[in-house]
Amino acid sequence: RKFMIYDTITYPGTKGLNVLYSNHNAHDAGINCMIMVKDSENNTWILTGSFDKTVKIWSPDGQLTHKLDGFMSAITSICYCKPSKTVWVGSGTSYASLYDPKSGENVS
C-alpha cells in the first residue's frame, strides 16, 4: 500500500536515505511489483503493480499520471519493452496486456 521515493544522490550519508515523497495509500492492497522506466525520449516513470488488480504509473516526483485497471487478478509482473515503447503487465492469465506509458492506453 505504501509507496516511497528516496533521494539516492546524497547516499551514503551519516543519516541514511532522505525521503523525497511518501504516499501511505498508493494502492488499496499490497504492492508486489515495481519498476522504474526511462525511455529513449528521456521520459521517466515509476510503475507499481498491486494485489488490488491495478497498475499505477507515477512521475519521478510521486505524482500519479495513470491508473490501469480492469485486470482479472492481482498484478504479478511488469516490464518495459524498449523497441515497442510498451509496458507489459502480467496478472495471472496466459497472456500479457500491453500499455503505452505516456497515454495509459491499452495497445494490446
Side-chain angles (χ1 to χ4, degrees):
R1 297 185 76 155
K2 188 175 187 180
F3 173 61
M4 299 180 76
I5 299 174
Y6 294 92
D7 174 12
T8 59
I9 295 173
T10 59
Y11 186 80
T14 58
K15 296 180 183 179
L17 295 172
N18 293 323
V19 176
L20 296 177
Y21 176 79
S22 178
N23 182 336
H24 295 278
N25 293 306
H27 283 272
D28 293 332
I31 296 170
N32 62 337
C33 53
M34 178 171 60
I35 62 169
M36 183 171 175
V37 171
K38 190 170 197 174
D39 72 3
S40 59
E41 298 170 8
N42 213 27
N43 296 304
T44 303
W45 302 283
I46 299 168
L47 290 88
T48 55
S50 173
F51 288 105
D52 67 6
K53 304 177 188 173
T54 65
V55 172
K56 293 188 177 179
I57 303 176
W58 309 85
S59 65
D61 63 353
Q63 300 303 307
L64 181 65
T65 59
H66 300 291
K67 178 181 176 183
L68 314 178
D69 53 14
F71 297 98
M72 301 303 285
S73 61
I75 307 304
T76 55
S77 57
I78 307 170
C79 73
Y80 180 71
C81 181
K82 279 190 175 189
S84 63
K85 298 181 182 180
T86 55
V87 172
W88 294 42
V89 179
S91 63
T93 61
S94 60
Y95 58 89
S97 299
L98 283 66
Y99 289 85
D100 176 353
K102 281 185 179 180
S103 67
E105 293 180 27
N106 187 323
V107 295
S108 297

